[in-house]
Amino acid sequence: MKSAPNLLLSAAGALAVLAGTVSCSSEKPGIPNPAPTSSQATAPSSENREIFAGMDSCELLREVTSSAAYEEYKPETLESDNGCRAKKARYGNVSLYFVGNEGIDGLEASQGTKKPIQIDGRDAVQLIGAAGQGNCFIGISVTKTSRATVSLTLSNGTNEQACTDGMVVAEAVAPKLPQGN
């Protein structure tokens, strides 16, 4: 019979193996999918890894929203390792991410509507209500396989208002993005 410490080590090992073979789907949050094999996984090209080099999402978000009374600019890593979220009391929050390994074609609305748009001469998409009521997610193309995203979620309000306010931020961000192909 195994001792309690050995049983715990065995259970931890089994969980580590399971975690390495199952991941959650980005299209259907919380639904496990097999992890990609090494032949399926694609590393971002060095061009895309470098496209946002030297750019800080919190610094840019603070710059373009400074007059809008946002506070608490905090780094986030939900969509990439270069994201930032800021809050505005009794209003909601806004986030900005630099994603160097996926373009706007990879964005799909699990709910809500996907709408192609142009921002500062760049291809872009709005995912209207993608995260529920009072939400708008905007992807701005930098290269075919990289993007910046702005997400605005209202504490109280409509998807249309979230997109109107989110577009103000996206239109201020777009001219400051690197020029891609």
mmCIF file of all heavy atoms in Angstrom, residues 1-4 6-7:
data_model
loop_
_atom_site.group_PDB
_atom_site.id
_atom_site.type_symbol
_atom_site.label_atom_id
_atom_site.label_comp_id
_atom_site.label_asym_id
_atom_site.label_seq_id
_atom_site.Cartn_x
_atom_site.Cartn_y
_atom_site.Cartn_z
ATOM 1 N N MET A 1 0.843 -1.188 0.000
ATOM 2 C CA MET A 1 0.000 0.000 0.000
ATOM 3 C C MET A 1 0.883 1.244 0.000
ATOM 4 O O MET A 1 1.867 1.324 0.712
ATOM 5 C CB MET A 1 -0.905 -0.040 1.228
ATOM 6 C CG MET A 1 -1.793 1.141 1.330
ATOM 7 S SD MET A 1 -3.045 0.850 2.593
ATOM 8 C CE MET A 1 -4.113 2.148 2.199
ATOM 9 N N LYS A 2 0.512 2.237 -0.792
ATOM 10 C CA LYS A 2 1.298 3.470 -0.894
ATOM 11 C C LYS A 2 1.045 4.365 0.305
ATOM 12 O O LYS A 2 -0.072 4.441 0.809
ATOM 13 C CB LYS A 2 0.923 4.230 -2.168
ATOM 14 C CG LYS A 2 1.369 3.551 -3.420
ATOM 15 C CD LYS A 2 1.102 4.441 -4.605
ATOM 16 C CE LYS A 2 1.658 3.797 -5.864
ATOM 17 N NZ LYS A 2 1.532 4.624 -7.014
ATOM 18 N N SER A 3 2.075 5.075 0.735
ATOM 19 C CA SER A 3 1.916 6.021 1.832
ATOM 20 C C SER A 3 1.236 7.282 1.313
ATOM 21 O O SER A 3 1.182 7.522 0.109
ATOM 22 C CB SER A 3 3.279 6.357 2.439
ATOM 23 O OG SER A 3 4.054 7.068 1.500
ATOM 24 N N ALA A 4 0.731 8.105 2.212
ATOM 25 C CA ALA A 4 0.026 9.330 1.826
ATOM 26 C C ALA A 4 0.891 10.249 0.966
ATOM 27 O O ALA A 4 0.431 10.751 -0.058
ATOM 28 C CB ALA A 4 -0.484 10.069 3.062
ATOM 29 N N ASN A 6 3.385 9.442 -1.039
ATOM 30 C CA ASN A 6 3.544 8.817 -2.357
ATOM 31 C C ASN A 6 2.264 8.904 -3.170
ATOM 32 O O ASN A 6 2.290 9.073 -4.382
ATOM 33 C CB ASN A 6 3.991 7.354 -2.222
ATOM 34 C CG ASN A 6 5.446 7.241 -1.814
ATOM 35 O OD1 ASN A 6 6.206 8.188 -2.003
ATOM 36 N ND2 ASN A 6 5.817 6.105 -1.253
ATOM 37 N N LEU A 7 1.110 8.742 -2.499
ATOM 38 C CA LEU A 7 -0.177 8.871 -3.185
ATOM 39 C C LEU A 7 -0.346 10.279 -3.743
ATOM 40 O O LEU A 7 -0.804 10.466 -4.866
ATOM 41 C CB LEU A 7 -1.318 8.583 -2.207
ATOM 42 C CG LEU A 7 -2.076 7.288 -2.440
ATOM 43 C CD1 LEU A 7 -2.923 6.950 -1.248
ATOM 44 C CD2 LEU A 7 -2.848 7.307 -3.701
#
